[in-house]
Amino acid sequence: MSTTKRDRVRPRPDAPALVALLLGVAGVGYRLALTLLTVPASNSDEATFGLVALHIAERGERPVFLYGQRYMGVLESYLAAPLVGWAGPSWPMLRLPLLALFAAFLWLAYRLTRRLFSPWLAVVVVGLLALGSERVVRDQLTVVGGRPEVKPAVLAMLLIAMALGDRRVRHHWLATGAFGLLAGLSLWSDWLIAPYLLVAAVVLAVAVPRDLIGWPGVLLVVGFLAGIAPVVKDNLVAPPGQDSLSVFREISTKEGVAPSLAERLRGGLLEGVPLASGMCPMDGCARWAQWFGVLYPVLLVAAAGLGLLAYRRAADHAARVRAVAILALVAGAALTLLAYVRSPLAATDPLGNARYLSVLQISLPAVLWPLWLAAAHALRATSGRAARLGGATAAVVLAALTAATLAGTVAFLAGVPGVRDEERTARRLADAVRGAGLHEVYGDYWTCNRLIFNTGETVACGVLDGALTPGQNRYPAYWQRVARAARPGYVVEAGSPAERTLRRLLGDRADAAVVAEVGGSRVYHPERAVRPWR
């Protein structure tokens, strides 16, 4: 080899990269253990995605939306279909693709934070993301649609835009096409990511405004249309009122007394933000933990100011693109919060709906940036007393945020044995139903699809409400199969309205119809079918 040629040696990872790698491996390992243990516990919503994956793999079905829900994409089911088809119905196999998506999210978050801010702030971001309370881990590992895949997609789109702005991409046509494809797939998967897609598009437009006029722009549109094509195709054939926009509008405008702005802000900021950040247990935030919800919009405003200052001081095009990317992270979080607090759900059920704020993790680097700068500035020898005091306060806030996130993780781990007991009970219930020779049963919503998945569809379940009338049956074929059964079984919660109704209809034959009792559920197999709705 000629000595005049420079050897191309890949640089060794520096200290921040190594520390981030260790933290990232710990975070992925933590979630791998939870995945293998089926923690958090499964439920019927997740089972529906699992059944979609099973039908994709074994029957060649090609659904666009979740059964009975014509606005939630099933990209996660397509990702899991090869594993579920190979291993059969299995919760760990269903969740493994989400674990891979989380690993990608950590890596992309590190790359983006390092490029926009600093290497050690990237380490802090990875460390915080590696932790995980029940609310955070549930959003990352349970297959319930949207959020696990759209977060790494947005980070990848921002990195693509910045790379194009730096002119570091050789095949920029393919890069813009990939940007469009990620945007289309994300919008199909979860409409709630739309604010982040909008601001990412602004970054791309600032990065390469001229390129978007030519063939790269054409490929951008083609990629987007390819990603969103399943939605377009489904909506073209949807019956009147069943298209995605109509369904989404219907569920977003429920009747009732609208909560006040103060109630929505309280639910969105004081409950939703700390919950989505991993600082609280699922049953709510203690008053001491609500401080982060108050501080969050303040940090967004500070980050916006710093981003504008960076834009004004930018010496070249690449620096301006990076400043716009910072502002995009701030704007994405602000628009997501605004959309959330406009919804009545922020006030009426803040604990159940905080999951919609999990995408705020995308903006975590920008939110921490003002604190990081203040703490770093205080270490300089030239800093005055006020700067040192402000920096010390910022460092305390960062430490408190880390401690609260760690406490949320520890609290979640303390409840893992109870979650495992619940999962084992669900398995025993499935075994009891099969052991009783039942192949068609009726049950409530939170029993049915979970039971079907756990039995690999050897048992079909039709959903009934407390009055034993038809409930939310997402997949009509199961209901029809149970309806044809001459002598179906019934799986009801002990002491529930459904059981009381069933026992009243069975009369003195009720006790004789009980064939199993597992946990808090009873399995009935009466001599004749009980279908009061007929």
Side-chain angles (χ1 to χ4, degrees), residues 424-497:
R424 282 192 288 266
T425 299
R427 296 279 186 175
R428 291 201 311 271
L429 179 63
D431 292 340
V433 170
R434 283 185 294 196
L438 293 170
H439 297 284
E440 292 84 24
V441 299
Y442 288 105
D444 64 22
Y445 176 80
W446 294 111
T447 297
C448 270
N449 279 10
R450 190 184 192 186
L451 176 63
I452 297 169
F453 190 77
N454 277 335
T455 61
E457 292 190 301
T458 59
V459 175
C461 186
V463 178
L464 299 178
D465 59 19
L468 295 192
T469 57
Q472 185 183 12
N473 286 276
R474 290 185 175 274
Y475 194 61
Y478 296 140
W479 175 262
Q480 294 162 4
R481 176 177 157 186
V482 180
R484 291 191 298 267
R487 193 184 165 204
Y490 298 80
V491 182
V492 293
E493 182 183 352
S496 65

Side-chain angles (χ1 to χ4, degrees), residues 297-311 323 326-327 330-331 334 366 369-370:
V298 177
L299 293 176
L300 284 181
V301 172
L306 291 170
L308 290 171
L309 184 62
Y311 185 83
I326 293 171
L327 292 171
V330 175
W369 186 35

Side-chain angles (χ1 to χ4, degrees), residues 129-493:
L129 292 175
L131 296 170
S133 66
E134 182 177 0
R135 174 72 278 158
V136 170
V137 171
R138 184 174 292 278
D139 289 330
Q140 292 168 344
L141 293 185
T142 56
V143 184
V144 290
R147 296 171 291 279
E149 61 267 31
V150 297
K151 289 187 290 186
V154 169
L155 295 181
M157 291 165 65
L158 291 173
L159 285 167
I160 289 172
M162 287 192 296
L164 288 169
D166 290 346
R167 299 296 177 184
R168 293 185 293 107
V169 179
R170 179 178 301 177
H171 303 291
H172 56 282
W173 292 14
L174 295 178
T176 54
F179 186 102
L181 180 63
L182 288 172
L185 289 173
S186 298
L187 200 58
W188 166 35
S189 189
D190 191 349
W191 289 23
L192 296 177
I193 201 62
Y196 278 99
L197 299 181
L198 176 63
V199 297
V202 172
V203 178
L204 181 66
V206 172
V208 285
R210 295 180 180 177
D211 287 359
L212 298 183
I213 299 175
W215 282 108
V218 173
L219 284 178
L220 175 70
V221 175
V222 170
F224 177 78
L225 292 177
I228 200 71
V231 178
V232 175
K233 179 181 178 181
D234 187 87
N235 280 272
L236 288 176
V237 299
Q242 292 298 309
D243 59 282
S244 301
L245 285 174
S246 298
V247 174
F248 196 72
R249 190 183 303 116
E250 180 182 352
I251 64 173
S252 301
T253 56
K254 297 293 185 181
E255 296 181 358
V257 179
S260 67
L261 177 60
E263 292 172 323
R264 285 180 278 129
L265 285 173
R266 174 180 172 77
L269 293 178
L270 300 187
E271 294 282 355
V273 170
L275 264 171
S277 302
M279 300 171 62
C280 310
M282 288 283 285
D283 56 357
C285 294
R287 188 172 296 276
W288 66 265
Q290 296 178 351
W291 62 270
F292 188 62
V294 177
L295 184 61
Y296 196 89
V298 177
L299 293 176
L300 284 181
V301 172
L306 291 170
L308 290 171
L309 184 62
Y311 185 83
R312 291 187 59 184
R313 292 180 176 177
D316 53 31
H317 180 67
R320 283 192 295 273
V321 173
R322 288 194 294 271
V324 173
I326 293 171
L327 292 171
L329 291 176
V330 175
L335 290 172
T336 298
L337 266 178
L338 180 62
Y340 183 69
V341 298
R342 287 184 68 238
S343 170
L345 296 176
T348 57
D349 187 13
L351 303 182
N353 292 286
R355 64 187 186 275
Y356 297 127
L357 293 178
S358 70
V359 294
L360 293 180
Q361 289 180 338
I362 296 171
S363 297
L364 181 62
V367 172
L368 299 183
W369 186 35
L371 297 172
W372 185 262
L373 281 183
H377 182 69
L379 298 176
R380 297 178 183 175
T382 57
S383 300
R385 180 177 299 178
R388 288 196 296 272
L389 179 61
T393 303
V396 169
V397 172
L398 284 171
L401 175 61
T402 304
T405 308
L406 179 60
T409 303
V410 172
F412 170 43
L413 290 176
V416 166
V419 176
R420 292 289 299 140
D421 288 342
E422 179 191 344
E423 195 64 33
R424 282 192 288 266
T425 299
R427 296 279 186 175
R428 291 201 311 271
L429 179 63
D431 292 340
V433 170
R434 283 185 294 196
L438 293 170
H439 297 284
E440 292 84 24
V441 299
Y442 288 105
D444 64 22
Y445 176 80
W446 294 111
T447 297
C448 270
N449 279 10
R450 190 184 192 186
L451 176 63
I452 297 169
F453 190 77
N454 277 335
T455 61
E457 292 190 301
T458 59
V459 175
C461 186
V463 178
L464 299 178
D465 59 19
L468 295 192
T469 57
Q472 185 183 12
N473 286 276
R474 290 185 175 274
Y475 194 61
Y478 296 140
W479 175 262
Q480 294 162 4
R481 176 177 157 186
V482 180
R484 291 191 298 267
R487 193 184 165 204
Y490 298 80
V491 182
V492 293
E493 182 183 352

